[in-house]
Amino acid sequence: MTLVKIASRLFLSLKSPENEEEFVDILEERRLRSDLGHALRTFRPSPYKGGPSCSAADLPKIVLESQHLRYVIATETGASPEEVREEASAILEEMSQNLQLGFIRLLGYIFTKVFKRLFTSINVNMEGLKALQQAIQESPVILLPNHRSYVDFLVISYIMFTYDIPVPVIAAGIPLAGMKIVGAIIRRSGAFFIRRAIGSDKLYWAVMSEYVRTIIKTGFAPLEFYVEGLRSRTLKSLMPKLGMMHMVLEPYFKGEVYDIQLVPISLSYDRVLEESLLALELLGVPKLKESTTGLLKASKVLQDDYGIMHVNFGRPMSVRRLCRGKINLRQYNLIPRDLPQKPRAEAQACVSWLAHLMVRIQEEGSLISPWSLMACLLLQAPTAVLTEQGLPWHQLTEKTIWLRKLALDFGARLNWPAQVPDPDVMSSAVALHHSVVRREAGRVYLVREEEPERKRPISPEEDVIRSAAAVLMMVSYRNQSLHLFVRPALLATAIGVTKTAQRDELFAFFCFLRDVFSNEFIFIPGESSQDFEEACVLLRKCGAVHISEQEVTASDAGLEALSFLQALLQPFIDSYQVMFRFLCEDKVHVFAEKQFLPAVRNLATKLILSGELHTYETLSSDTQKNVLSALRRLETLAKLES
Ligand SMILES: CCCCCCCCCCCCCCCC(=O)SCCNC(=O)CCNC(=O)[C@H](O)C(C)(C)COP(=O)(O)OP(=O)(O)OC[C@H]1O[C@@H](n2cnc3c(N)ncnc32)[C@H](O)[C@@H]1OP(=O)(O)O
Ligand SMILES: O=C(CO)COP(=O)(O)O
């Protein structure tokens, strides 16, 4: 793609405040009218083909009688067909949803109360919602939200119910089914339960894919699933999982439906309910098992304020159009539709491309808060904010205003209220995040959790982990805007490290970094040139570089932007280097992942205590796992079967 094309693509996607889509606060009306009236409202959605051709109870029967499952049952070895059929039937019983409007109304009533308590507003883009309403009448629709909180799926169903749109069925991890009473309620609210790792269980793949296929073919309801596979503990997008994505596309690949519409949804939180739990999990504290008692205990979160939430419904995207030229559908005619097939390489590549594209669109649709920009800057002064020194408030606010301009130059969708004076916007961001920072005597400090009374003094190692918990919470808010800066940051780093202006040399180094960090940030496979061009255009737009046919030269006026961007990537570079050093120095040849994580954590703690390492992100299990995945992808490490 040429520079001109990239520039016009970016220009088109940059939205000025005037043509920014209108968001409507769906809680406003709820604060004025009766909650019960909302729950009992007439619900008249316009579904696909005028209504589903079967009930929730029919679905498992249709699946069990399908040619596909009959074939799998007949050919499964090691047990009699009756036994296999019984097993398939048990899987379906465990999996099936039983969507009922009465339960949606019940939850609608409860969540109106909960949401009004938690959030100042829940802002939804009405144009996106209208487009969804239309798409649902025309094709099977797949909803693809990003996953940051347990609130995600509640709020989406709530919006659909409020706006008379058919309520979705949702793929949920099986542990949720085990919650007393709650499991049964969410099953009746549209959740169908899937195992988190299926591996090579052929019968399970067959039952699950046939169940999903039947929902799509019969137009039972829109189908929602979380392509990232779990809540991102870092608030950064996760590499998409491909199993479910392949299943939902298969009816189109096999010609069973004319088209399917994919709807990426971006949920952006000012403040995430689970913020401290997620940070602790990253430091190795085990996740609390999903349970009803746990849920009740967590009700203390209701006492706090979580600011504004934005839900951006992306425009429905036709799979038919997206896949044109990407996959040869004739191949599917050569094999009977009902024979089970492991996805072929071409299909896998197409599914992977689409899944990455959806995550990128989720990123582009998300709104960046002033607090996220402030977190980027606070983390670039870790020593000041972690010690009594603190960061001067005026320095933070001046730099944040500068960063807002850079973010807007890069096309950010900012959630920065125009009608409120800038200092007030930043002050209220700090007040909202009282669990992370405190402003005192004109300076800003990181808040470390109060230590419970203890008999012995805290050890230096424990103190590092305490600081790390606070830093990782702040890191997650910085991460909400990383997708905006990452491409120019890779180029800024390439310029800083190589000290060359030669475009081809910079491109080679850019690709190297992009490759190493492909598990850390979302890059669409095969689009490294587009990413490089985008980085060039953005750096030129903010005046950081001059660009000619052969050269990319840093400009004096752009040093501030280049050094900010380089500093943004530095914690990742430092963390990866510590782990590479661990693997090389210790001559570790074979190790278990379970040993690797604590061993790296120990090394990083020592380095932090000795002053050699300044980034607490090295302690995060997410970064550690990403390094292992990257090294496996680059074939530097291999996973041995245990
Ligand atoms: C008004 C108010 C209303 C309120 C109303 C409330 C509503 C209340 C609802 C609650 C709702 C909760 C919602 C929670 C939200 C979550 O719980 S999110 C967590 C659950 N969801 C997901 O995980 C979805 C995304 N995950 C996936 O797509 C994963 O791929 C799967 C399907 C789980 C499988 O994972 P996996 O076993 O790790 O498999 P994966 O790595 O994809 O592939 C493994 C192998 O199988 C192969 N394979 C792939 N496809 C196939 C195939 N079809 N056949 C055979 N082999 C295959 C792969 O090629 C791969 O082979 P290798 O490459 O290893 O050789
Ligand atoms: O995704 C889930 C339900 O939202 C549960 O899984 P995690 O707790 O791993 O995010």
Side-chain angles (χ1 to χ4, degrees), residues 140-209:
V141 164
I142 312 297
L143 304 174
L144 294 157
N146 56 354
H147 203 6
R148 303 291 174 263
S149 165
Y150 284 129
V151 176
D152 301 342
F153 46 82
L154 300 173
V155 97
I156 292 173
S157 292
Y158 184 87
I159 295 170
M160 310 253 307
F161 171 66
T162 303
Y163 287 92
D164 267 340
I165 303 177
V167 177
V169 291
I170 312 165
I174 212 128
L176 292 173
M179 292 173 77
K180 267 193 206 126
I181 307 173
V182 174
I185 295 181
I186 61 176
R187 191 187 287 277
R188 287 168 176 78
S189 309
F192 65 97
F193 297 98
I194 61 169
R195 294 187 192 157
R196 306 292 289 267
I198 304 169
S200 57
D201 186 336
K202 271 198 215 147
L203 182 65
Y204 197 90
W205 276 112
V207 173
M208 182 175 159
S209 55

Side-chain angles (χ1 to χ4, degrees), residues 21-265:
E21 269 195 59
E22 198 197 338
F23 280 85
V24 168
D25 171 18
I26 61 160
L27 293 183
E28 197 178 314
E29 202 184 329
R30 298 283 71 75
R31 292 192 202 279
L32 300 174
R33 295 184 210 283
S34 136
D35 296 347
L36 196 60
H38 171 255
L40 298 177
R41 63 197 289 283
T42 314
F43 180 60
R44 268 206 214 102
S46 305
Y48 177 51
K49 289 185 182 164
S53 55
C54 64
S55 69
D58 293 335
L59 283 173
K61 293 182 207 147
I62 301 175
V63 172
L64 217 49
E65 292 311 320
S66 67
Q67 289 294 336
H68 177 197
L69 220 64
R70 281 178 186 217
Y71 179 89
V72 174
I73 289 170
T75 54
E76 185 79 351
T77 51
S80 69
E82 291 72 34
E83 281 169 324
V84 184
R85 196 181 151 84
E86 233 166 77
E87 204 185 323
S89 188
I91 296 173
L92 277 166
E93 198 172 321
E94 172 189 79
M95 180 181 294
S96 297
Q97 50 74 32
N98 185 9
L99 181 57
Q100 296 170 24
L101 187 57
F103 282 85
I104 296 290
R105 292 192 187 283
L106 170 70
L107 293 185
Y109 180 70
I110 297 173
F111 286 113
T112 300
K113 299 219 175 285
V114 172
F115 292 152
K116 282 198 290 191
R117 185 145 203 155
L118 291 176
F119 299 108
T120 316
S121 61
I122 298 181
N123 296 343
V124 181
N125 67 328
M126 287 298 142
E127 286 303 312
L129 210 54
K130 264 189 227 150
L132 170 64
Q133 210 157 23
Q134 183 66 32
I136 280 180
Q137 294 171 47
E138 291 162 6
S139 303
V141 164
I142 312 297
L143 304 174
L144 294 157
N146 56 354
H147 203 6
R148 303 291 174 263
S149 165
Y150 284 129
V151 176
D152 301 342
F153 46 82
L154 300 173
V155 97
I156 292 173
S157 292
Y158 184 87
I159 295 170
M160 310 253 307
F161 171 66
T162 303
Y163 287 92
D164 267 340
I165 303 177
V167 177
V169 291
I170 312 165
I174 212 128
L176 292 173
M179 292 173 77
K180 267 193 206 126
I181 307 173
V182 174
I185 295 181
I186 61 176
R187 191 187 287 277
R188 287 168 176 78
S189 309
F192 65 97
F193 297 98
I194 61 169
R195 294 187 192 157
R196 306 292 289 267
I198 304 169
S200 57
D201 186 336
K202 271 198 215 147
L203 182 65
Y204 197 90
W205 276 112
V207 173
M208 182 175 159
S209 55
E210 193 56 37
Y211 188 73
V212 167
R213 190 171 153 186
T214 310
I215 288 175
I216 294 176
K217 281 195 303 183
T218 56
F220 178 80
L223 191 146
E224 174 178 324
F225 77 96
Y226 291 82
V227 68
E228 295 172 291
L230 69 164
R231 288 168 301 152
S232 166
R233 270 62 179 158
T234 59
L235 302 191
K236 192 154 58 65
S237 302
L238 300 175
M239 286 273 274
K241 302 273 273 167
L242 304 184
M244 191 81 189
M245 192 74 185
H246 188 265
M247 279 177 214
V248 301
L249 297 174
E250 231 181 1
Y252 169 72
F253 291 162
K254 291 187 168 174
E256 293 169 322
V257 291
Y258 178 76
D259 199 0
I260 291 174
Q261 300 283 337
L262 303 179
V263 180
I265 304 174

Side-chain angles (χ1 to χ4, degrees), residues 154-440:
L154 300 173
V155 97
I156 292 173
S157 292
Y158 184 87
I159 295 170
M160 310 253 307
F161 171 66
T162 303
Y163 287 92
D164 267 340
I165 303 177
V167 177
V169 291
I170 312 165
I174 212 128
L176 292 173
M179 292 173 77
K180 267 193 206 126
I181 307 173
V182 174
I185 295 181
I186 61 176
R187 191 187 287 277
R188 287 168 176 78
S189 309
F192 65 97
F193 297 98
I194 61 169
R195 294 187 192 157
R196 306 292 289 267
I198 304 169
S200 57
D201 186 336
K202 271 198 215 147
L203 182 65
Y204 197 90
W205 276 112
V207 173
M208 182 175 159
S209 55
E210 193 56 37
Y211 188 73
V212 167
R213 190 171 153 186
T214 310
I215 288 175
I216 294 176
K217 281 195 303 183
T218 56
F220 178 80
L223 191 146
E224 174 178 324
F225 77 96
Y226 291 82
V227 68
E228 295 172 291
L230 69 164
R231 288 168 301 152
S232 166
R233 270 62 179 158
T234 59
L235 302 191
K236 192 154 58 65
S237 302
L238 300 175
M239 286 273 274
K241 302 273 273 167
L242 304 184
M244 191 81 189
M245 192 74 185
H246 188 265
M247 279 177 214
V248 301
L249 297 174
E250 231 181 1
Y252 169 72
F253 291 162
K254 291 187 168 174
E256 293 169 322
V257 291
Y258 178 76
D259 199 0
I260 291 174
Q261 300 283 337
L262 303 179
V263 180
I265 304 174
S266 316
L267 297 122
S268 319
Y269 293 86
D270 266 1
R271 187 174 169 215
V272 175
L273 269 78
E274 298 99 320
E275 58 178 15
S276 62
L277 288 177
L278 298 183
L280 288 176
E281 273 188 52
L282 291 173
L283 291 168
V285 177
K287 174 184 145 180
L288 293 171
K289 195 172 173 293
E290 286 89 346
S291 72
T292 307
T293 342
L295 183 69
L296 294 175
K297 277 192 197 150
S299 57
K300 70 169 190 285
V301 296
L302 292 178
Q303 285 147 20
D304 221 339
D305 174 11
Y306 294 87
I308 301 175
M309 173 183 188
H310 279 87
V311 185
N312 183 72
F313 286 85
R315 292 294 179 271
M317 300 178 81
S318 148
V319 170
R320 195 178 179 83
R321 205 168 303 154
L322 285 167
C323 290
R324 205 167 284 153
K326 294 254 177 229
I327 186 161
N328 177 8
L329 294 180
R330 270 191 229 121
Q331 303 221 18
Y332 281 88
N333 296 335
L334 303 175
I335 310 165
R337 271 180 200 162
D338 294 314
L339 288 195
Q341 297 165 42
K342 216 179 154 179
R344 283 193 312 271
E346 189 202 28
Q348 278 292 73
C350 176
V351 170
S352 166
W353 173 77
L354 259 178
H356 281 80
L357 180 67
M358 291 303 121
V359 180
R360 279 293 293 133
I361 298 175
Q362 289 169 355
E363 291 186 336
E364 283 171 2
S366 61
L367 272 94
I368 293 176
S369 66
W371 169 243
S372 176
L373 300 181
M374 294 169 93
C376 288
L377 297 164
L378 284 163
L379 284 163
Q380 296 196 1
T383 323
V385 289
L386 270 168
T387 59
E388 281 161 22
Q389 196 187 331
L391 187 70
W393 173 249
H394 72 87
Q395 203 173 313
L396 175 64
T397 51
E398 276 164 27
K399 202 72 204 246
T400 306
I401 301 290
W402 169 85
L403 186 55
R404 177 179 64 176
K405 158 98 176 55
L406 187 71
L408 288 171
D409 277 349
F410 286 1
R413 304 184 76 187
L414 279 188
N415 159 25
W416 192 301
Q419 63 286 11
V420 183
D422 291 338
D424 294 354
V425 171
M426 290 179 276
S427 297
S428 52
V430 166
L432 181 69
H433 291 278
H434 58 89
S435 52
V436 187
V437 282
R438 127 183 94 83
R439 184 178 159 196
E440 217 172 80

